[in-house]
Amino acid sequence: MLKILLYFLIGVLPLCYAAFYIGRKKARTGELESGERFHSRPAHYGWYSVIWMAVPSLVISFAFTIIGSTKIFKVPFTMHLTTILLIAAFGLWYSQKKIAKNLKARNFIEKTIKVTLIAASLVSILTTIGIVFSILFESMKFFSQVSFWNFITGTEWDPDTAFLQGAGRDAAHAAEAKFGSVPIFAGTLMITLIALAVAVPIGLFSAIFMSEYASSRVRGWVKPVLEILAGIPSVVYGFFAAITVSPLIVHAANFFGLQADYTNALTPGLVMGIMIIPFVSSLSDDVINAIPQNMREGSLALGMTRSETMKHVLLPAAMPGIISSVLLAFSRAIGETMIVVMAAGLQPKLSANPLDGMTTVTVKIVDALTGDQSFDSLETLSAFGLSFVLLIITLILNIVSSVIIRKFRKQYV
């Protein structure tokens, strides 16, 4: 990393500045000598020279690095350096040769920027596609041995004997491994809903208070304090849940004559809800503040109170952003692992009682991938099956939320 940074600071930046200076000077000199104005400003010709000098050499340098990392052929450092310097020199020579009155340097720069932005967008898109296909291919291996229908409808998760098959041992007399994912997804849904039941009202009410009722001084103090909650490591929340909240819940349940496990679903749900409050409050506050002021003033001018304005004007207008914040909080809650491991345990259990112990999808994925099983064993591959179903559920939720957001946007924009 240090080598790359030094290469960039000592090599690339001075050369780029030199190319910019040379290109701009040539354009200025050309304008003075010919007495005519060039198509673009001198600075555009400077950037034109920088692009021709830097981009090809950086592309070749990146290609050499990739080839070297794959161990197909390790390019010697002297060859690497000499090649990119020659390419940079050729690019600079070519750009100086092309600079003339009719050269549309500004258009060239704009096209280069456009291509760069498209490439940046493609990186994230292709990365997403790569993740989806990697999960899909691995999950197909799992579902070639386990029925997909039994996986999504089964109510028992007991993969303990799957290692016999992975180790090539006789599993004829062992109990059959069971991969029914319903208890795992039910636990995930219950813990996530408890977290949202805590985070959404508290976060939304906090956002309303900060945006409409609090003074700027109070808002400037409260908002950063709330956002600190999002910066606390999840392992700290896990300790808080296991050591403090869980015993309190057990004692409270005993007080009311109820039976509660120390590893129950209510504890991680409550603590996770506290953790994701800033996702709802901060984003909702920003959305409500972004509503045009004339909507507030128009409502107040018609005689509505401040609370009526919030209820009938501001909240409906901000609803797409609020839904987005809730979805973001939902995604954060459904992907949380550490709190659930420390407070809810690893046992998949199908129960409607939040005081029982249960687990979530992400915890079982980690559990399946961190054991001493071979990578092609059924128990390890079950992690990809769980990931695949979780991906489908998340995709469906995103589609539904997009439809809702579009509906509100059409109504109020």
Side-chain angles (χ1 to χ4, degrees):
M1 186 66 187
L2 181 61
K3 187 177 178 181
I4 295 174
L5 185 62
L6 288 174
Y7 165 74
F8 183 77
L9 292 176
I10 300 174
V12 176
L13 282 182
L15 288 175
C16 288
Y17 180 77
F20 179 82
Y21 179 79
I22 294 171
R24 185 178 62 178
K25 184 178 181 182
K26 181 167 184 181
R28 283 177 175 171
T29 306
E31 284 186 337
L32 290 173
E33 290 178 350
S34 64
E36 297 180 14
R37 185 185 175 104
F38 279 19
H39 173 274
S40 307
R41 294 291 77 216
H44 292 137
Y45 294 97
W47 285 112
Y48 177 83
S49 302
V50 170
I51 291 171
W52 270 108
M53 190 214 68
V55 173
S57 59
L58 287 176
V59 170
I60 295 298
S61 177
F62 181 72
F64 280 175
T65 305
I66 295 295
I67 293 172
S69 64
T70 57
K71 298 181 180 179
I72 298 173
F73 173 68
K74 186 169 180 60
V75 181
F77 178 73
T78 52
M79 179 182 173
H80 189 150
L81 184 62
T82 305
T83 304
I84 62 175
L85 285 176
L86 286 174
I87 293 174
F90 177 79
L92 181 60
W93 170 81
Y94 178 79
S95 65
Q96 300 309 300
K97 185 180 177 184
K98 295 290 290 184
I99 290 177
K101 173 188 171 185
N102 295 325
L103 177 64
K104 298 178 181 179
R106 185 183 61 196
N107 298 4
F108 177 80
I109 293 169
E110 289 177 352
K111 286 180 181 176
T112 304
I113 293 173
K114 185 178 179 181
V115 171
T116 305
L117 295 176
I118 292 173
S121 303
L122 286 177
V123 168
S124 58
I125 293 172
L126 292 176
T127 303
T128 304
I129 293 174
I131 292 172
V132 170
F133 275 102
S134 65
I135 293 175
L136 180 62
F137 290 142
E138 295 297 332
S139 62
M140 286 172 65
K141 295 179 184 175
F142 175 72
F143 288 122
S144 65
Q145 302 178 61
V146 176
S147 166
F148 180 74
W149 178 253
N150 291 336
F151 182 75
I152 61 172
T153 59
T155 56
E156 288 188 61
W157 182 271
D158 187 12
D160 290 344
T161 58
F163 78 95
L164 295 174
Q165 184 179 347
R169 295 166 58 182
D170 182 16
H173 302 292
E176 184 183 359
K178 296 175 181 176
F179 292 96
S181 62
V182 171
I184 299 174
F185 284 100
T188 304
L189 184 63
M190 176 172 286
I191 293 174
T192 303
L193 289 179
I194 293 172
L196 290 179
V198 174
V200 172
I202 295 177
L204 188 56
F205 291 161
S206 301
I208 293 172
F209 169 74
M210 288 188 292
S211 61
E212 296 300 316
Y213 295 97
S215 64
S216 57
R217 183 179 177 185
V218 173
R219 183 174 183 272
W221 180 79
V222 171
K223 189 171 182 179
V225 172
L226 272 176
E227 290 175 348
I228 286 175
L229 291 174
I232 297 175
S234 58
V235 66
V236 177
Y237 282 110
F239 281 124
F240 175 65
I243 296 173
T244 305
V245 180
S246 184
L248 286 176
I249 288 177
V250 171
H251 292 316
N254 291 335
F255 179 79
F256 289 104
L258 301 173
Q259 182 68 33
D261 298 338
Y262 275 92
T263 53
N264 55 71
L266 186 59
T267 299
L270 293 175
V271 177
M272 207 184 295
I274 295 171
M275 184 182 70
I276 62 176
I277 284 174
F279 291 87
V280 180
S281 65
S282 185
L283 289 175
S284 299
D285 174 50
D286 292 339
V287 171
I288 294 172
N289 275 313
I291 296 173
Q293 185 64 22
N294 55 12
M295 293 183 69
R296 292 180 176 81
E297 294 173 349
S299 175
L300 295 172
L302 289 173
M304 297 180 79
T305 64
R306 185 178 286 186
S307 60
E308 289 172 336
T309 300
M310 173 58 67
K311 180 180 177 182
H312 297 289
V313 178
L314 300 183
L315 281 182
M319 193 54 70
I322 293 173
I323 292 175
S324 299
S325 69
V326 173
L327 280 176
L328 184 62
F330 177 84
S331 302
R332 183 69 180 85
I334 206 170
E336 176 54 37
T337 306
M338 187 58 68
I339 298 175
V340 184
V341 169
M342 299 178 72
L346 300 172
Q347 187 61 37
K349 185 177 181 180
L350 185 59
S351 171
N353 184 0
L355 298 178
D356 287 341
M358 52 189 73
T359 191
T360 63
V361 175
T362 52
V363 172
K364 292 311 293 182
I365 291 173
V366 173
D367 184 43
L369 291 175
T370 53
D372 55 358
Q373 306 285 323
S374 61
F375 196 76
D376 58 348
S377 70
L378 267 182
E379 185 172 359
T380 304
L381 291 176
S382 67
F384 297 98
L386 291 169
S387 303
F388 179 71
V389 177
L390 183 63
L391 185 67
I392 293 176
I393 293 173
T394 308
L395 181 63
I396 293 173
L397 286 174
N398 283 334
I399 292 173
V400 172
S401 64
S402 298
V403 172
I404 296 172
I405 290 171
R406 195 170 300 165
K407 179 182 176 183
F408 276 95
R409 190 169 292 163
K410 284 182 179 177
Q411 190 172 354
Y412 289 97
V413 175

